[in-house]
Amino acid sequence: MTSRVTAVSRSATHTFSKTPLESIRLLPGLGVEGDAHAGVTVKHRSRVARDPSQPNLRQVHLVHAELHDELREAGFAVREGDMGENVTTRGVDLLALPTGTRLRLGETAVVEVTGLRNPCVQLDGFQHGLMKAVLDRDEEGNLVRKAGVMGIVIAGGDVRPGDAIRVEPPAGPHQPLRPV
């Protein structure tokens, strides 16, 4: 199966969910044009309150459509953009990627994966029990965060549903994803 973008979304304000669109434009070093989280420095409100000068490692939020499938099977009503993601993917194991992996989206856009999205209680505000549903434990009892990955824009361009995704892992040794 070819890895694909299944949806793209943005919100100009700090809303939990984002509106699915026909396309979004990624801007190098900034994020999604017109999105509240775009910028060189952090835009997430709780992080701005701590230190507004820290670099924005959360310019683009990506979620795998397979998570939406899993959540719908568990009885949740989730659609693309509902969990605040900018790009919904299918066919890429986002959570297994090492830090620094580059995702080529469409013809020109490149997003470098910086880490995992750390699920927050806003998920339960959207639908009761959703936060617990995106957390799990592996065989060793370690916490598994399933709410997607965050990244920075390396190369800009328009991204649309149906665009191919090409995965480029970083040169050796690989570092596992951590929450950012």
Side-chain angles (χ1 to χ4, degrees):
M1 172 172 74
T2 303
S3 301
R4 297 264 175 223
V5 172
T6 62
V8 294
S9 308
R10 76 166 181 249
S11 175
T13 60
H14 286 279
T15 58
F16 179 72
S17 297
K18 297 183 186 284
T19 304
L21 301 166
E22 290 182 20
S23 71
I24 57 173
R25 175 162 291 153
L26 300 185
L27 303 173
L30 295 174
V32 178
E33 182 177 63
D35 192 81
H37 291 96
V40 174
T41 56
V42 68
K43 301 302 177 201
H44 191 275
R45 289 185 288 189
S46 67
R47 292 167 193 263
V48 167
R50 278 184 283 175
D51 178 4
S53 68
Q54 61 186 309
N56 188 2
L57 302 178
R58 302 165 55 94
Q59 295 173 356
V60 181
H61 178 201
L62 300 97
V63 166
H64 46 297
E66 293 84 355
L67 175 62
H68 291 160
D69 298 341
E70 176 186 326
L71 293 171
R72 283 192 290 269
E73 287 174 18
F76 293 96
V78 291
R79 295 172 296 133
E80 291 84 358
D82 277 352
M83 293 174 42
E85 73 271 17
N86 300 110
V87 179
T88 310
T89 68
R90 185 168 294 280
V92 178
D93 189 354
L94 294 174
L95 305 180
L97 299 174
T99 301
T101 297
R102 291 191 173 186
L103 301 173
R104 294 192 174 275
L105 308 174
E107 293 182 26
T108 61
V110 179
V111 172
E112 185 175 296
V113 177
T114 56
L116 295 167
R117 176 189 183 192
N118 199 18
C120 69
V121 295
Q122 286 184 326
L123 289 163
D124 280 344
F126 179 68
Q127 285 183 50
H128 180 72
L130 189 56
M131 183 165 163
K132 183 177 179 184
V134 298
L135 295 171
D136 205 352
R137 298 273 175 190
D138 65 16
E139 301 80 32
E140 291 84 39
N142 299 310
L143 186 63
V144 176
R145 294 165 177 87
K146 302 187 293 184
V149 300
M150 307 306 288
I152 58 173
V153 180
I154 300 300
D158 293 335
V159 181
R160 296 173 180 79
D163 281 349
I165 301 170
R166 293 175 306 287
V167 178
E168 297 176 355
H174 293 168
Q175 299 297 315
L177 295 174
R178 304 258 185 261
V180 292

